Amino acid sequence: MTFVVTEACIRCKYTDCVSVCPVDCFHEGPNFLVIDPDVCIDCAVCVPECPVNAIAADRELTAQQDLEMNARYAKAWPVITQARDPLPDAEQWASVNDKLAQLQT
């Protein structure tokens, strides 16, 4: 099992989860975070830290695309190890559903 960041993170990019991760498995893209499934140790400490509930266990996913996105972009994007400010309009996007079209790679 691994944890993944779902599309709920797109255009928000809260990084509270990053500061609690003991293995530095988060990677940062322009408007989205992902978890490297090969590095995640399944500790779940990041899950309650996300204010938009964008982190889920892979077994809880309804769409395989989230797991695939995390694996693909973790290979391309740099590791993020410290919390940063969310995107300027994060609050506006926090409750929006179906944000996949907003993903910037």
Side-chain angles (χ1 to χ4, degrees), residues 22-105:
V23 294
D24 299 334
C25 66
F26 284 89
H27 292 253
E28 181 182 28
N31 69 347
F32 185 53
L33 297 176
V34 295
I35 293 173
D36 185 336
D38 294 330
V39 177
C40 178
I41 60 170
D42 310 327
C43 67
V45 297
C46 59
V47 175
E49 298 301 317
C50 181
V52 294
N53 299 313
I55 302 173
D58 63 350
R59 67 175 182 258
E60 298 171 358
L61 297 175
T62 55
Q64 235 1 57
Q65 73 183 11
D66 290 319
L67 181 57
E68 293 166 1
M69 281 192 321
N70 278 251
R72 179 175 358 135
Y73 295 126
K75 289 176 180 25
W77 292 345
V79 172
I80 178 174
T81 59
Q82 295 181 8
R84 298 184 183 153
D85 290 335
L87 295 176
D89 57 351
E91 286 186 32
Q92 173 188 342
W93 285 95
S95 60
V96 174
N97 294 320
D98 301 319
K99 298 190 280 185
L100 195 54
Q102 299 293 320
L103 178 63
Q104 295 175 358
T105 59

